[in-house]
């Protein structure tokens, strides 16, 4: 199959992409978080193609993307007031809500669950594609399963060229980590995945928030969990990743001590001078966490190279968006962290 490349700002792009979606094929689409691999979310056969293209485990459900908040009524029932309040405040934007699913949503999309994850992305071209297609689109991050997510059209080309019908190029993603996921089906609102909408922002609106254990620790493969995707290996380059915590100086002296040929250092721009001769790769500025979230996956993809032996990574501290960056980096590191202050 020859993959069609479509510029997001070309006037015909929404129409062409929508036609492909309606015909049951896959399109790589930009969003403000990461690029998605999109199909008609109501078409079982089209959704099956997503699982096949990504090599995604069948028990891992997909997010249904809508163009307008009002559309969730077609796919969800028993929608609590909190969902409308959150949609009003944060949509379009990087927030996904898990709600009770109506029978209109195929079991393939929800991986057999009675709930469905819905989100309205903050990306005009993608909302226009959804509107023109006249169906919600199911879209996971476009990366091959287990690998770092796709934050540019080039990343999607790398993983899927010749295997999907089209890719819409909307430039690099602004947020860079996937949407925040909140489960609203279970009494207390539960954070399943941190992202661009922060726990603090959610708490401020809801007055309560439980953080699911999948956010903070490695989950056993056999476990029954709220967010099925959380138990799988994620975001990881081929090499082992080790997070080195502690002050800049202590971390640098630890890394320089253990550094071996083939190793790489993933650090903040401010730290580059500390790693001269140690092939450092900066993913953003520690002083501006949005540059870290925007740059993390591109950096992890660059390090996904058989020549890399081990990655020593620096991780931002604190809440807000840093919480999401910590979550992705810890998962990439399979929660391996060493504290340079006590080593
Ligand atoms: O930012 C995003 O959310 C991106 C863009 C493309 O919108 N999409 C994305 O999809 O990250 P994906 O498939 O890579 O991650 C979706 C996560 C998975 O961990 C999945 O298990 C979880 O959402 N999920 C989907 N439906 C769910 C449900 N009904 N209940 C609990 N978790 C669900
Ligand atoms: Mg993903």
């Amino acid at each position: 199959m020859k993959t069609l490349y479509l510029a997001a700002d070309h006037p015909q792009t929404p129409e062409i992409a929508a036609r492909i979606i309606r015909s049951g094929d896959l399109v790589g689409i930009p969003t403000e978080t990461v690029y998605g691999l999109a199909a008609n979310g109501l078409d079982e056969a089209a959704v099956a193609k997503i699982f096949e293209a990504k090599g995604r485990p069948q028990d891992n459900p997909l997010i249904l993307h809508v163009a307008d908040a009002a559309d969730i009524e077609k796919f969800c029932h028993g929608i609590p007031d909190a969902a409308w309040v959150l949609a009003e405040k944060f949509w379009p934007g990087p927030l996904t809500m898990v709600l009770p699913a109506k029978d209109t949503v195929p079991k393939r999309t929800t991986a057999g669950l009675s709930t469905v994850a819905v989100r309205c992305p903050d990306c005009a071209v993608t909302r226009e594609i959804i509107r023109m297609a006249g169906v919600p689109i199911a879209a996971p991050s476009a990366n091959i399963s287990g690998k770092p997510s796709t934050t540019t059209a080039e990343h999607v080309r790398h993983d899927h060229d010749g295997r999907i019908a089209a890719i819409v190029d909307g430039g690099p993603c602004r947020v860079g980590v996937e949407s925040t996921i909140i489960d609203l089906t279970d009494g207390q609102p539960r954070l399943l995945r941190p992202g661009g909408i922060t726990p603090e922002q959610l708490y401020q609106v809801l007055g309560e928030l439980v953080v699911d254990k999948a956010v903070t620790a490695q989950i056993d493969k056999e476990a029954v969990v709220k967010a099925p995707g959380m138990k799988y290996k994620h975001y990881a380059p081929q090499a082992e990743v080790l997070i080195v915590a502690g002050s800049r100086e202590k971390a640098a002296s630890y890394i320089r001590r253990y550094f071996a040929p083939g190793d790489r250092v993933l650090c903040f721009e401010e730290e580059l001078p500390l790693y001269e001769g140690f092939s450092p790769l900066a993913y953003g500025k520690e002083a501006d966490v949005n540059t870290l979230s925007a740059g993390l996956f591109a950096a992890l993809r660059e390090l996904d190279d058989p020549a890399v032996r081990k990655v020593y990574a620096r991780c931002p501290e604190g809440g807000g968006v840093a919480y999401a960056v910590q979550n992705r980096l810890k998962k990439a590191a399979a929660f391996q962290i060493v504290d340079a202050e006590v080593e």
Side-chain angles (χ1 to χ4, degrees):
M1 170 185 293
K2 188 161 167 34
T3 303
L4 208 62
Y5 287 85
L6 304 167
D9 57 0
H10 191 286
Q12 280 182 321
T13 288
E15 195 187 317
I16 297 169
R19 197 176 334 119
I20 296 171
I21 296 281
R22 266 200 313 270
S23 76
D25 279 321
L26 305 185
V27 181
I29 51 146
T31 81
E32 79 283 27
T33 58
V34 300
Y35 274 74
L37 193 59
N40 176 352
L42 304 183
D43 176 345
E44 299 243 9
V47 169
K49 289 183 187 173
I50 295 179
F51 284 88
E52 197 190 336
K54 278 184 61 95
R56 183 176 177 100
Q58 298 287 340
D59 70 347
N60 195 0
L62 303 175
I63 297 172
L64 215 49
H65 296 69
V66 296
D68 297 286
D71 289 343
I72 65 174
E73 261 174 323
K74 297 182 206 159
F75 314 114
C76 309
H77 65 84
I79 302 172
D81 291 343
W84 294 116
V85 176
L86 290 173
E88 171 70 26
K89 192 144 178 77
F90 299 118
W91 279 2
L95 178 69
T96 294
M97 297 191 272
V98 175
L99 295 166
K102 280 188 174 167
D103 290 340
T104 46
V105 187
K107 287 292 177 205
R108 270 224 187 250
T109 302
T110 63
L113 298 179
S114 60
T115 57
V116 62
V118 288
R119 133 166 158 87
C120 179
D122 185 15
C123 176
V125 69
T126 288
R127 286 201 310 279
E128 192 54 22
I129 293 169
I130 298 169
R131 260 185 221 113
M132 286 193 152
V135 290
I137 59 182
S141 53
N143 55 283
I144 300 292
S145 245
K147 290 295 177 185
S149 301
T150 38
T151 54
T152 65
E154 168 55 28
H155 294 160
V156 187
R157 189 202 63 72
H158 177 274
D159 287 11
H160 298 290
D161 186 49
R163 303 196 301 132
I164 62 176
I167 297 172
V168 177
D169 188 347
C173 299
R174 173 173 60 82
V175 179
V177 293
E178 305 87 337
S179 60
T180 304
I181 304 180
I182 186 168
D183 181 359
L184 296 173
T185 65
D186 196 21
Q188 281 180 305
R190 177 180 290 267
L191 182 71
L192 301 184
R193 179 174 75 181
I197 300 299
T198 66
E200 295 85 349
Q201 284 174 298
L202 293 172
Y203 188 84
Q204 203 173 28
V205 172
L206 299 168
E208 54 177 349
L209 185 68
V210 177
V211 176
D212 197 79
K213 62 179 186 300
V215 173
T216 50
Q218 184 81 51
I219 298 296
D220 189 81
K221 265 218 162 82
E222 306 307 318
V224 177
V225 289
K226 292 275 177 195
M230 294 309 209
K231 65 188 178 189
Y232 294 107
K233 185 168 180 248
H234 252 96
Y235 317 119
Q238 296 165 54
E240 175 190 355
V241 178
L242 175 66
I243 295 175
V244 183
S247 70
R248 271 183 199 167
E249 291 67 30
K250 287 270 173 53
S253 86
Y254 177 91
I255 292 169
R256 293 163 67 118
R257 182 155 25 113
Y258 289 102
F259 192 93
D263 291 351
R264 296 294 304 268
V265 182
L266 179 63
C267 64
F268 312 128
E269 270 175 38
E270 295 94 327
E271 296 179 317
L272 285 171
L274 293 167
Y275 297 103
E276 259 171 51
F278 290 82
S279 62
L281 175 64
Y283 62 109
K285 291 192 185 68
E286 187 177 22
D288 180 359
V289 71
N290 294 323
T291 64
L292 294 173
S293 71
L296 178 64
F297 283 132
L300 287 174
R301 290 179 74 92
E302 189 175 330
L303 296 172
D304 185 23
D305 178 332
V308 176
R309 199 192 68 102
K310 183 168 180 171
V311 176
Y312 293 96
R314 295 282 290 151
C315 185
E317 302 202 327
V321 174
Y323 193 58
V325 175
Q326 287 153 22
N327 172 263
R328 302 311 191 275
L329 207 45
K330 284 180 184 169
K331 283 184 179 279
F335 291 89
Q336 280 199 93
I337 304 170
V338 59
D339 186 353
E341 300 289 331
V342 299
E343 286 296 315

